[in-house]
Amino acid sequence: MKHTINYFFIFLFLGFGVAKAQNSKQTLRGTAFDKETKQPLVGATIIILNDQKKLGTVTDATGEFKILEVPVGRQTLKVTYLGYEPLVIPDIMVTAGKEVVLELGLTEALKKMNEVVISYDRKKDRTVTNNEMATVSSRSFNPDDTKKFAGALGDPSRMAANFAGVVAGNDSRNDIVVRGNSPSAMLWQLEGVNIPNPNHFGSNFGTGGPVSMLNANNIGKSDFFTSAFPAQYGNANGGVFDLVLREGNNQKREFIGQIGFNGFELGAEGPFSKKSKASYIFNYRYSTLGLLKNVGVNAGTGAATPLYQDMNFKIAIPTKGKGKFTIFGMGGISSIDLLAKDVDTAGVDFYGNVYQNQLPRYSKAVVGTAFEKSLSSKTWGKITLATSYSDDNYTADSISLPNTQTWRQAKGVFVDTKYSAVLNLTHKFNAKNTLNFGVTNDLTHFDYNNRNYYYAGTIDTIRVNQVGNVNLTQAYAQLKHRFNSRLTLNLGLHGQYLSVNEKAVIEPRVGVRFAINEKSSINFGYGLHHQSLPIYNLFVKNQSGQESNKKLDFIQSNHLVLGYEMQISKLLKVKVETYYQYLNNVPVNTFSSTYSALNIGASFAPSNEYDLTSSGSGQNYGVELTFERYYNKGFYFLLTGSLFDSKYKGSDGVERNTAFNTKYAANFLAGKEVTIGKKGNVIYANIKLTTVGGKYITPLDFTASQAKGEAVYNEANSYSQKQEAYFRTDLKLGYRRDFKKSSMEFAVDFQNITNHQNIFSQGYNKYRNTISTNYQQGFFPVPMFRYTF
């Protein structure tokens, strides 16, 4: 704690040792366009609503606009254009250190001149997604919220845990558990491309890790889906995170330096030249814990220090004829050495084993290029080519005490190289009808070698030893039909084919939105979804050396959602959704057991089950509430709650809780900003309270553990013992200051301020001959300093 306090005061000194504040202004600019066809809207009116001078402008021949001398602080923007629905964007953060650049997509209106209609005004709803085909269980992701909310730590995954239907409860990982589904059921996309797990220390068998590689400073407005998602998304049964990297400022060079929990980072963006509209944005980050290791800071993992670094970038080059060429990428490496000699057997140790050296290594990268163009006034197209690489390497050596003799215990190499091609086309027939269709092809070359060694390394057990290729082809078509301003229908079909099992499926998707009045609507969604097992699990060898899982069916999932939304006022919104999900064709053992593939992802380790059959099932159902007050006059709050049940049946036919069935989850977030002294000086406070029902775990067999000298679990009663509920309170205090041409922000995120003891894991302690309980992170202050110029 001594080093943590010193760390705190270093940041405090940096934050307040900067020059005197100025009464600052900034430029706000961007582009207005048709949301479906991407055609620029010429002559659209742009007005800043909460400015006494009534600042505003109109778009030029290319749809671009610029408003000068905008006061720093939070602003609200309104966009109007004849024949289109108005667009209102609240809570735009304007700082002196960075221009605000917006991309404003407007939807063509159905209302004719002088016609009186009743419609739910979605354009006043800041949670509306980029994807116009989304009807239910969807929300836009605002990257600024990751910087604002307490406990988010600038991590998109931890931010998403605040949404209704998403369950956290593990301080060491940012897994996204959606409505009782495994985190492995999540689909991650970047710039429309399916990507591997984008987290440091994140394996191919899950979708989480301790720290995200995605940098919130580079992410633009993105979409998050939890059920019955549009037809363009496939091979996922849980949810979708559709991320977009923002483009760099194409008129002014800007820089950012930041120090915080996620690392020391530097970023730059700007035009390639004064005459060019081409832009770049780049951000590099290195592990804070790695850099501070030499000054004696304890990272909470004993002598083991997690090391990682990552980068995100995007280049955008406009072309003639309303086209744009982009190059984008993301990558990172991470490692940690968990050595037996560093384990304190007298204390609780989360990460080590006195009989084992563990050396995990992770490398991931995505790089791609895309070309998009308005093919006509009604048609838009985009083609994307990308390559992703994922290398998970794990080595474990067993140590014999007291002579410390060492031999190899386990070795795992999991390498995926994926080549992706994506085509998307949109054609708007008229204001009532829009058609989207596209094709995605992912060719994955894999190289897996996973083995265990027994009896001092003399017996070699091969789990997987395979090099090969797997091809997944997906296609979709979806139609949006607006009967009138009250009733909208989204229809879609998605199809996919996997080369390994030679299976093809067709999936219908339906969404209906009915406006009761201009403030409220009823929404319905249905989707049939399929997902294959991870490639690794398809090639696990049985005791005869056969790959008996290759012909397993896709796991099938039927999603039904019914929701109600009400915009109580321009600042208050309430949303309620009920859902039911039935899963079948779930891989289970051929003999009677409690195993189900629905629990894959509950741990870091891969599942090595073989001789599986697609005869298991599962179901998730629940109700969710979101009650939100948008930021206004320095105050906001967000309340989300979920009540749900998640069950599965293994080959023994017994219905059990899944590993992710916590029964309930609730979050309350609120924040207040106060301007002090001269304009440009702001202090703020944000708080977050989270409670999650206790997980169901498999009970430990104490007698058998004593006899064997290690933890032995009662598998016949899998997931029958409920842990205590999770509770945590985070408080974030900060100060933001604007100078003439730069901005500074300093904050401290006080995590788990009540120091509540939340259970991390339970096991057998052979030294004390007891069942040991390891607890998650206690009270821990996390400082952050950011400077933009």
Side-chain angles (χ1 to χ4, degrees):
M1 180 60 72
K2 177 182 177 182
H3 295 297
T4 301
I5 295 173
N6 291 337
Y7 188 27
F8 172 88
F9 282 105
I10 290 172
F11 279 98
L12 191 65
F13 174 78
L14 288 173
F16 289 93
V18 190
K20 189 176 180 180
Q22 307 284 331
N23 194 9
S24 304
K25 309 285 186 180
Q26 186 54 277
T27 297
L28 189 153
R29 62 185 184 84
T31 307
F33 52 88
D34 183 291
K35 194 165 186 178
E36 281 86 16
T37 66
K38 313 303 179 185
Q39 287 287 317
L41 301 180
V42 181
T45 302
I46 318 291
I47 300 175
I48 294 179
L49 294 180
N50 48 341
D51 183 73
Q52 295 178 353
K53 295 181 180 180
K54 301 296 182 184
L55 293 175
T57 188
V58 295
T59 57
D60 60 18
T62 62
E64 296 182 353
F65 68 91
K66 178 183 288 188
I67 305 176
L68 304 175
E69 298 295 308
V70 178
V72 297
R74 297 189 183 271
Q75 304 290 353
T76 298
L77 196 74
K78 183 176 182 179
V79 188
T80 56
Y81 188 70
L82 184 62
Y84 281 73
E85 297 176 0
L87 175 64
V88 177
I89 306 177
D91 195 18
I92 301 172
M93 173 57 70
V94 180
T95 64
K98 179 172 177 52
E99 287 188 347
V100 179
V101 183
L102 302 173
E103 294 187 358
L104 308 174
L106 275 67
T107 301
E108 190 173 357
L110 291 178
K111 183 176 74 172
K112 298 178 181 179
M113 296 295 290
N114 301 321
E115 180 184 352
V116 178
V117 297
I118 296 176
S119 64
Y120 172 58
D121 191 356
R122 298 181 75 233
K123 294 305 173 185
K124 293 181 180 178
D125 184 355
R126 67 190 294 270
T127 66
V128 168
T129 57
N130 295 327
N131 194 315
E132 281 283 306
M133 298 292 175
T135 310
V136 295
S137 304
S138 59
R139 183 186 175 105
S140 68
F141 173 83
N142 184 353
D144 286 338
D145 288 342
T146 67
K147 306 170 188 177
K148 179 172 63 178
F149 287 173
L153 298 175
D155 186 332
S157 296
R158 296 183 193 276
M159 169 59 202
N162 298 312
F163 298 157
V166 182
V167 176
N170 187 337
D171 297 339
S172 67
R173 289 165 62 93
N174 60 7
D175 286 315
I176 299 179
V177 175
V178 176
R179 293 179 171 176
N181 287 283
S182 162
S184 301
M186 275 291 300
L187 170 66
W188 284 91
Q189 283 199 346
L190 181 68
E191 294 289 315
V193 176
N194 301 327
I195 63 171
N197 182 354
N199 290 284
H200 290 295
F201 306 98
S203 71
N204 285 340
F205 318 107
T207 56
V211 181
S212 175
M213 293 181 188
L214 296 163
N215 194 304
N217 292 317
N218 284 34
I219 297 175
K221 181 185 175 185
S222 303
D223 290 345
F224 185 78
F225 305 92
T226 56
S227 189
F229 22 90
Q232 72 188 72
Y233 306 109
N235 200 38
N237 282 331
V240 177
F241 214 151
D242 186 355
L243 291 159
V244 177
L245 294 175
R246 69 179 181 88
E247 296 180 8
N249 192 330
N250 63 2
Q251 295 185 13
K252 178 184 176 183
R253 288 190 173 90
E254 297 172 330
F255 304 91
I256 183 172
Q258 181 170 314
I259 308 171
F261 170 81
N262 290 337
F264 285 70
E265 61 183 85
L266 294 172
E269 62 180 287
F272 282 98
S273 69
K274 292 182 178 180
K275 297 181 180 180
S276 172
K277 287 192 174 182
S279 68
Y280 65 87
I281 182 170
F282 174 85
N283 192 291
Y284 172 78
R285 180 170 55 186
Y286 190 87
S287 164
T288 301
L289 303 177
L291 287 177
L292 296 179
K293 177 181 178 181
N294 293 331
V295 297
V297 174
N298 189 339
T301 56
T305 300
L307 304 175
Y308 55 86
Q309 53 186 311
D310 56 59
M311 59 172 283
N312 295 189
F313 73 90
K314 188 174 183 179
I315 297 170
I317 305 172
T319 62
K320 294 181 179 180
K322 301 176 182 177
K324 183 168 61 178
F325 179 73
T326 58
I327 303 172
F328 60 90
M330 173 203 74
I333 57 176
S334 50
S335 64
I336 188 170
D337 293 346
L338 303 169
L339 305 179
K341 66 181 181 63
D342 298 326
V343 175
D344 180 10
T345 58
V348 174
D349 189 274
F350 280 53
Y351 302 90
N353 184 328
V354 71
Y355 294 108
Q356 193 178 66
N357 289 334
Q358 301 176 67
L359 305 174
R361 302 287 186 268
Y362 302 89
S363 301
K364 299 183 190 299
V366 179
V367 63
T369 181
F371 179 71
E372 60 182 278
K373 182 179 175 62
S374 292
L375 304 176
S376 70
S377 62
K378 296 289 186 180
T379 306
W380 172 86
K382 180 179 181 181
I383 186 169
T384 307
L385 301 175
T387 299
S388 61
Y389 175 80
S390 177
D391 183 353
D392 299 352
N393 196 309
Y394 174 81
T395 300
D397 292 330
S398 184
I399 298 174
S400 176
L401 296 179
N403 59 9
T404 67
Q405 181 181 357
T406 302
W407 62 84
R408 182 58 42 85
Q409 185 180 36
K411 176 67 176 178
V413 178
F414 313 97
V415 180
D416 286 327
T417 305
K418 183 162 62 178
Y419 305 95
S420 301
V422 183
L423 172 66
N424 293 298
L425 292 168
T426 297
H427 181 76
K428 185 170 74 172
F429 298 97
N430 48 47
K432 287 191 171 185
N433 297 285
T434 300
L435 176 67
N436 294 345
F437 54 97
V439 178
T440 298
N441 194 81
D442 292 324
L443 174 63
T444 302
H445 176 76
F446 66 91
D447 185 350
Y448 299 154
N449 190 320
N450 188 26
R451 56 184 66 201
N452 295 95
Y453 302 87
Y454 298 95
Y455 299 103
T458 58
I459 297 180
D460 180 4
T461 301
I462 299 174
R463 307 296 186 185
V464 173
N465 184 20
Q466 183 72 29
V467 178
N469 298 298
V470 173
N471 196 78
L472 177 65
T473 301
Q474 303 178 71
Y476 74 92
Q478 49 192 5
L479 174 70
K480 179 178 182 178
H481 177 67
R482 303 163 74 188
F483 292 95
N484 50 50
S485 57
R486 300 183 68 176
L487 182 62
T488 300
L489 173 67
N490 292 322
L491 287 174
L493 279 178
H494 178 274
Q496 64 187 45
Y497 172 81
L498 185 67
S499 62
V500 178
N501 61 7
E502 299 179 319
K503 304 283 186 181
V505 290
I506 301 294
E507 305 168 338
R509 314 280 173 87
V510 180
V512 179
R513 179 184 296 274
F514 177 72
I516 301 171
N517 52 47
E518 64 180 6
K519 291 186 175 181
S520 60
S521 68
I522 295 175
N523 315 300
F524 169 79
Y526 167 76
L528 179 62
H529 306 265
H530 293 82
Q531 183 176 4
S532 68
L533 282 180
I535 295 175
Y536 172 85
N537 298 98
L538 297 176
F539 289 91
V540 172
K541 296 179 182 293
N542 62 17
Q543 292 180 338
S544 301
Q546 299 173 324
E547 296 163 346
S548 56
N549 295 339
K550 290 174 65 174
K551 298 303 179 181
L552 287 170
D553 292 330
F554 292 109
I555 301 174
Q556 180 173 288
S557 174
N558 283 273
H559 293 211
L560 280 168
V561 182
L562 180 64
Y564 172 78
E565 298 180 32
M566 182 177 182
Q567 197 75 40
I568 301 172
S569 69
K570 67 178 182 179
L571 297 178
L572 289 174
K573 178 191 174 182
V574 63
K575 179 179 179 180
V576 179
E577 280 195 343
T578 60
Y579 65 90
Y580 178 76
Q581 178 187 12
Y582 178 73
L583 300 109
N584 60 307
N585 295 341
V586 179
V588 294
N589 292 129
T590 53
F591 56 90
S592 180
S593 81
T594 64
Y595 172 81
S596 171
L598 295 182
N599 294 314
I600 291 178
S603 68
F604 279 107
S607 169
N608 291 309
E609 296 291 327
Y610 51 80
D611 291 342
L612 299 176
T613 180
S614 300
S615 59
S617 63
Q619 61 178 348
N620 302 306
Y621 56 90
V623 59
E624 299 168 355
L625 169 70
T626 300
F627 183 43
E628 184 169 10
R629 183 191 192 272
Y630 304 147
Y631 181 93
N632 182 260
K633 295 182 179 180
F635 178 68
Y636 76 90
F637 69 76
L638 172 65
L639 173 67
T640 62
S642 305
L643 295 173
F644 67 97
D645 200 19
S646 178
K647 296 291 181 64
Y648 79 95
K649 288 184 180 180
S651 57
D652 61 359
V654 178
E655 186 175 66
R656 292 182 170 84
N657 300 292
T658 68
F660 314 103
N661 190 16
T662 61
K663 298 289 187 178
Y664 68 87
N667 300 284
F668 176 74
L669 300 94
K672 177 67 177 177
E673 289 189 359
V674 178
T675 301
I676 56 174
K678 293 183 178 180
K679 193 159 187 176
N681 295 270
V682 175
I683 58 173
Y684 60 82
N686 298 285
I687 191 168
K688 175 185 176 182
L689 290 84
T690 297
T691 182
V692 179
K695 294 181 179 179
Y696 285 94
I697 62 173
T698 301
L700 188 137
D701 188 326
F702 185 67
T703 302
S705 299
Q706 283 182 308
K708 196 172 182 180
E710 62 182 43
V712 177
Y713 294 91
N714 183 357
E715 299 294 342
N717 293 309
S718 294
Y719 307 111
S720 61
Q721 180 178 320
K722 190 173 180 62
Q723 292 182 327
E724 293 180 3
Y726 174 97
F727 178 79
R728 173 169 150 170
T729 303
D730 298 329
L731 176 66
K732 184 176 182 179
L733 302 177
Y735 172 74
R736 186 171 63 249
R737 196 171 189 175
D738 285 296
F739 309 101
K740 188 174 182 179
K741 294 184 178 180
S742 62
S743 300
M744 178 273 295
E745 184 175 0
F746 172 76
V748 181
D749 205 327
F750 297 96
Q751 304 217 325
N752 195 5
I753 59 174
T754 64
N755 201 33
H756 187 81
Q757 287 193 316
N758 294 304
I759 296 175
F760 178 74
S761 64
Q762 293 176 304
Y764 175 69
N765 187 327
K766 66 177 295 182
Y767 298 100
R768 299 178 181 177
N769 191 29
T770 60
I771 295 177
S772 62
T773 300
N774 296 329
Y775 293 95
Q776 304 200 54
Q777 175 185 299
F779 170 71
F780 190 72
V782 181
M784 183 281 299
F785 175 74
R786 180 187 301 118
Y787 189 69
T788 56
F789 57 98

